């Protein structure tokens, strides 16, 4: 009877529940049961251990060298395995902090299981970071189709691209395309790619403008097209196509020679569905109505992408690429409409910029709009009136496209988000030179900035000044760090999940607010403290590691923790869209497997350590 009870408990406890039944039975028979009174020492630092311990009931605390508290563990938690991995040497004193029932598994059986079962071995590694990495790898392998691993050269194979010289007549070029059955002709000179000539070029540059078909095709081609290496990831090609709204990407090898032409059809044939079709529909939109119709399909495209096997990084990049395309085309459509109405073209240079998740290229579906306009300093009063009308129409069109009005007013239609470059500089200077907690809380989103449309130099100039000003102001950075510490990571001292009640009574946590944004805040704070200009969270962490400002393992652990939680979030959002429901950031751990819940706790532990480090190093040890 006792062995059956042990087996039932192990079956519900990671990682034992993943074992084959024969192994589970063997472990159940080998378990040694012991009882420890409150205050009794289970293991002493400096001793030798030959058991893996599992808390059946009660609680245990671990103290490094018998003094510094490192963890408190409750029911279902394993401990003492690090000592088994290092040959038995115990570094943490383990003490019962309430009357506790323990299961113990002999070291020999523990090591046999690690040798026989890869998942068991991966669970019992040195720290949370390795377990999260294993969890991410497992989730990606389970999808089967790995967009980050597939190379675009594999899709093109040995198919030779159809090429022509720039001096070839347009008529001969079109005849060649017809004979070869291609819609894109690579234009090469001396073996090097100099442009492409497409069906679209034929319509818009030749037929529409009445160009003489005897003219050289070099005059009608698209010069210097965006290219990729044959070794580029399929995910990168999909993002490029979705953002640009084009169907073909030339592949160029290290020597600069043309290696092939990748088409959207190549990708669709291997994937089945993607963001590319949605990106093309957006790019083809000729007016506001068509753009709204195309953009409203983005949630379904997102769900289809997730169903096809994309993981967190890819889903964020694809959705952001589509968001870029919608914002860019919306601005162009409003410009054309205003000019057609006699309001004229933009009266001066300007940049439409995104803040927040779209700026970081981490946007998912259901995001509201966070944008602004940077106007050239020569903008006069008449120009201000033009841009006010432009911004109101732009934000209204984006709202119709599914990017809801921002409740916080971070939109170009608000006068304070539509400023001359010099006035934007003054605004950032005020935040940085005279920080206070309330102002910093509202301003952090503005420190993730990226140009979407217009004069990119305006945004680049502002961004460069802001990054340098942050680097030179430890006081402001300390306020950023304190703001990051507002986050409530939902992990209790007994490694239990601290949850809230949802509207339906379900116990949930907010994946965005309690796990993803803390990592975003950590990366932003550390990057600005070091004068690092990258905007994306992963890019910031990688740049910090490359500069020696953050240990590579710490940077990777934070990235993995964010991506693991985001992966759980994305899967649930896609499922909600499939059911016709609004996607949410809330996750109910009861809907996860026991193993996923354990990995989730690992992710929260990594995030908490990152916040603790921020508190010690940049927040003055306070907050």
């Amino acid at each position: 009877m006792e062995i059956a009870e042990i087996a039932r408990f192990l079956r519900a406890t990671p990682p034992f529940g993943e074992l084959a039944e024969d192994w589970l039975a063997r472990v159940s028979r080998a378990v040694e049961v012991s009882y420890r009174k409150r205050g009794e020492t289970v293991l002493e630092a400096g001793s030798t251990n030959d058991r893996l311990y599992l808390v059946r009931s009660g609680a245990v605390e671990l103290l490094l060298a018998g003094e510094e508290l490192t963890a408190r563990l409750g029911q279902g938690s394993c401990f003492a395995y690090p000592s088994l991995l290092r040959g038995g040497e115990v570094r943490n004193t383990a003490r019962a902090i309430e009357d506790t029932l323990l299961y113990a598994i002999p070291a020999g059986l523990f090591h046999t299981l690690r040798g026989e079962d890869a998942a068991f071995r991966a669970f019992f590694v040195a720290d949370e970071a390795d377990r999260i990495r294993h969890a991410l790898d497992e989730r990606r392998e389970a999808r089967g189709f790995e967009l980050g691993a597939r190379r675009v050269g594999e899709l093109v194979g040995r198919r030779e691209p159809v090429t022509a010289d720039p001096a070839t007549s347009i008529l001969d070029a079109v005849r060649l395309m017809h004979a070869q059955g291609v819609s894109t002709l690579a234009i090469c000179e001396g073996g090097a790619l100099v442009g492409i000539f497409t069906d679209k070029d034929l319509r818009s540059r030749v037929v529409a403008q009445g160009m003489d078909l005897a003219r050289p095709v070099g005059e009608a081609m698209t010069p210097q097209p965006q290219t990729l290496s044959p070794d580029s990831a399929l995910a990168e090609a999909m993002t490029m196509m979705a953002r640009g709204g084009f169907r073909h990407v030339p592949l160029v090898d290290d020597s600069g020679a043309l290696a092939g032409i990748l088409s959207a059809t190549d990708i669709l044939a291997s994937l089945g569905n993607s963001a590319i079709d949605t990106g093309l529909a957006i790019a083809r939109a000729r007016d506001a109505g068509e753009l709204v119709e195309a953009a409203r399909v983005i949630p379904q495209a997102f769900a289809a992408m997730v169903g096809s096997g994309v993981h967190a990084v890819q889903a964020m990049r694809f959705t952001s690429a589509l968001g870029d395309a919608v914002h860019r085309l919306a601005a162009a459509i409003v410009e054309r409409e205003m000019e057609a109405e006699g309001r004229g073209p933009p009266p001066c240079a300007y940049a439409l910029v995104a803040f927040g998740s779209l700026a970081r290229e981490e946007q998912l579906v259901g995001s509201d709009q966070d944008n602004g306009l940077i106007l050239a300093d020569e903008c006069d009063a008449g120009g201000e009136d033009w841009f006010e009308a432009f911004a109101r129409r732009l934000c209204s069109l984006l709202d119709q496209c599914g990017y809801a009005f921002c409740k916080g007013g971070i939109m170009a239609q608000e006068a304070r988000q539509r400023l001359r470059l010099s006035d934007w500089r003054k605004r950032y200077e005020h935040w940085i030179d005279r920080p206070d907690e309330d102002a910093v809380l509202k301003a952090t989103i503005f420190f993730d900035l990226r140009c979407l449309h217009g004069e990119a130099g305006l945004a680049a100039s502002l961004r460069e000044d802001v990054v340098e000003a942050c680097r030179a102001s430890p006081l402001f950075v300390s306020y950023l760090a304190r703001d990051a510490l507002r986050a409530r990571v939902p992990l209790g001292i007994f490694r239990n999940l601290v949850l809230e009640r949802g509207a339906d009574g379900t116990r949930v946590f907010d994946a965005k607010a309690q796990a993803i944004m803390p990592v975003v805040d950590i990366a932003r704070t550390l990057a600005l403290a070091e004068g690092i200009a990258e905007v994306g969270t992963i890019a910031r962490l990688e740049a910090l590691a490359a500069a020696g400002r953050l240990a590579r393992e710490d940077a990777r652990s934070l990235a993995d923790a964010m991506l693991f939680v985001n992966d759980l979030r994305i899967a649930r959002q896609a499922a909600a869209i499939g059911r016709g429901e609004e996607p949410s950031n809330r996750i109910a751990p009861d809907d996860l497997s026991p193993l996923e819940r354990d990995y989730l706790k690992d992710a929260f532990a990594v995030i908490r350590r990152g916040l603790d480090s921020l508190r010690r190093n940049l927040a003055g040890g306070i907050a």
Side-chain angles (χ1 to χ4, degrees):
M1 183 67 179
E2 186 177 1
I3 292 177
E5 170 58 28
I6 291 171
R8 277 195 296 273
F9 181 75
L10 292 179
R11 191 173 287 110
T13 304
F16 302 98
E18 307 297 319
L19 293 175
E21 282 299 319
D22 57 339
W23 278 111
L24 186 68
R26 181 173 171 183
V27 173
S28 301
R29 290 193 298 270
V31 163
E32 302 167 1
V33 183
S34 63
Y35 173 78
R36 304 300 171 99
K37 291 183 178 180
R38 177 181 179 182
E40 186 177 348
T41 296
V42 181
L43 288 171
E44 191 78 47
S47 65
T48 300
N49 174 48
D50 61 358
R51 298 285 187 276
L52 168 70
Y53 287 91
L54 176 63
V55 180
R56 175 61 181 85
S57 63
V60 171
E61 65 180 4
L62 305 182
L63 300 100
L64 182 62
E67 298 178 358
E68 181 184 346
L69 179 67
T70 59
R72 286 188 172 129
L73 307 174
Q75 179 176 303
S77 296
C78 296
F79 66 96
Y81 61 86
S83 63
L84 300 181
L85 298 178
R86 69 172 75 95
E89 177 195 353
V90 176
R91 294 180 183 173
N92 286 288
T93 292
R95 182 178 299 139
I97 52 178
E98 55 186 74
D99 291 349
T100 300
L101 188 66
L102 297 174
Y103 289 170
I105 297 169
L109 180 55
F110 169 76
H111 289 302
T112 298
L113 282 168
R114 290 185 70 247
E116 294 289 332
D117 192 290
F120 189 90
R121 180 170 60 252
F123 185 87
F124 289 108
V125 291
D127 56 28
E128 295 98 341
D130 288 337
R131 285 196 294 275
I132 299 168
R133 198 157 303 136
H134 172 73
L136 276 172
D137 289 343
E138 275 193 332
R139 291 181 68 83
R140 291 169 182 173
E141 288 172 8
R143 290 181 173 93
F145 191 93
E146 177 52 65
L147 300 179
R150 293 292 299 275
R151 303 295 128 186
V152 292
E154 299 173 19
L155 274 63
V156 174
R158 298 182 178 276
R159 187 176 67 228
E160 288 292 327
V162 181
T163 65
D165 187 273
T168 304
S169 72
I170 295 172
L171 180 60
D172 286 343
V174 172
R175 284 173 172 166
L176 176 61
M177 293 167 69
H178 176 71
Q180 295 291 330
V182 297
S183 59
T184 297
L185 184 65
I187 309 302
C188 298
E189 191 169 28
L193 180 74
V194 295
I196 56 173
F197 183 66
T198 68
D199 284 348
K200 182 179 178 181
D201 292 325
L202 176 62
R203 294 192 304 271
S204 60
R205 298 184 179 187
V206 178
V207 177
Q209 297 182 27
M211 184 179 287
D212 187 347
L213 296 182
R215 301 299 303 168
V217 72
E219 295 180 8
M221 71 181 183
T222 298
Q224 303 303 319
Q226 295 184 57
T227 64
L228 289 172
S229 161
D231 293 327
S232 298
L234 177 54
E236 186 177 356
M238 289 178 64
T239 301
M240 180 183 286
M241 288 181 172
R243 178 174 286 117
F246 42 79
R247 297 188 63 88
H248 297 86
V249 178
L251 305 182
V252 177
D253 64 23
D254 293 339
S255 69
L258 181 68
I261 301 286
L262 177 72
S263 72
T265 304
D266 293 327
I267 297 177
L268 292 170
S270 60
L271 182 58
N273 51 59
S274 70
I276 298 174
D277 276 351
T278 305
L280 291 170
I282 291 168
R284 286 194 296 263
R286 293 165 295 181
D287 55 33
E290 290 184 1
L291 179 61
V292 170
E293 184 179 356
R296 284 291 184 175
V297 181
I298 289 177
Q300 287 70 40
F302 166 83
M305 285 188 294
V306 175
S308 295
V310 303
H311 54 71
V313 171
Q314 296 160 355
M316 291 188 297
R317 288 184 65 192
F318 295 156
T319 312
S320 296
L322 295 173
D324 281 8
V326 171
H327 282 69
R328 189 168 56 248
L329 189 54
I333 286 172
V334 174
E335 283 182 18
R336 290 200 302 268
E337 288 177 347
M338 291 182 66
E339 190 165 4
E341 293 167 5
R343 298 290 298 269
C348 67
Y350 79 96
L352 169 63
V353 295
F355 303 111
S357 61
L358 184 56
R360 297 191 305 270
E361 298 183 79
E362 295 165 9
Q363 190 171 70
L364 296 180
V365 292
S367 298
D368 57 10
Q369 50 182 292
D370 298 307
N371 54 60
L373 294 181
I374 304 174
L375 312 180
D377 281 335
E378 59 266 25
C379 183
D380 58 18
E384 289 181 353
D385 292 342
W386 191 96
F387 282 111
E388 179 181 2
F390 169 80
R392 290 191 181 282
R393 293 171 69 158
L394 171 64
C395 292
S396 176
L397 177 52
L398 290 172
D399 178 65
Q400 295 172 60
C401 288
Y403 298 91
F405 289 122
C406 175
K407 293 183 177 65
I410 304 175
M411 296 175 290
Q413 69 179 27
E414 301 292 330
R416 65 185 184 277
Q417 321 303 357
R418 189 178 65 250
L419 302 172
R420 294 177 180 84
L421 176 60
S422 57
D423 292 325
W424 274 111
R425 285 195 172 109
K426 291 174 185 175
R427 192 179 187 194
Y428 278 97
E429 285 170 6
H430 178 80
W431 284 328
I432 296 168
D433 294 344
R434 293 180 290 281
D436 68 71
E437 289 190 5
D438 186 58
V440 169
L441 171 64
K442 296 174 181 175
T444 52
I445 190 172
F446 291 95
F447 289 82
D448 302 335
L449 175 153
R450 184 168 61 89
C451 181
L452 301 178
H453 176 76
E455 180 49 61
L458 291 170
S461 174
L462 177 62
R463 177 78 190 153
E464 183 179 343
D465 292 345
V466 168
V467 170
E468 176 54 30
C470 291
R471 187 198 63 77
S473 179
L475 176 63
F476 176 71
V477 169
S478 74
Y479 273 85
L480 282 180
R482 293 175 214 181
D483 182 69
L485 296 172
R486 295 172 186 263
R488 294 179 297 107
V489 178
L491 188 66
I493 59 174
F494 290 99
R495 205 176 142 83
N496 58 307
L497 294 173
V498 181
L499 306 171
E500 303 170 351
R501 291 284 179 184
D504 60 355
T506 305
R507 297 168 67 246
V508 298
F509 71 95
D510 188 316
K512 180 179 179 182
Q514 295 182 278
I516 294 160
M517 288 310 300
V519 180
V520 170
D521 291 339
I522 291 168
R524 180 196 298 117
T525 302
L526 294 175
L528 291 175
E530 298 298 336
I532 289 172
E534 272 78 3
V535 179
T537 301
I538 305 299
R540 280 169 165 164
L541 292 171
E542 290 175 346
L544 285 161
R549 301 302 185 182
L550 183 65
R552 288 192 179 276
E553 186 60 28
D554 290 343
R556 186 174 178 186
S557 297
L558 283 167
D560 286 345
M562 184 184 82
L563 294 176
F564 178 75
V565 178
N566 228 349
D567 224 34
L568 297 176
R569 172 196 181 200
I570 285 166
R572 277 145 191 80
Q573 289 190 345
I577 292 168
R579 296 191 299 268
E581 301 171 1
E582 284 295 314
S584 169
N585 291 313
R586 293 183 176 272
I587 294 176
D590 286 347
D591 293 339
L592 306 177
S593 71
L595 197 56
E596 285 177 320
R597 287 196 293 272
D598 222 61
Y599 287 141
L600 187 62
K601 294 174 185 178
D602 291 334
F604 290 148
V606 166
I607 295 167
R608 175 177 285 168
R609 281 204 301 271
L611 289 170
D612 288 343
S613 176
L614 207 61
R615 176 184 289 109
R616 291 192 305 270
N617 298 323
L618 292 178
I622 65 173

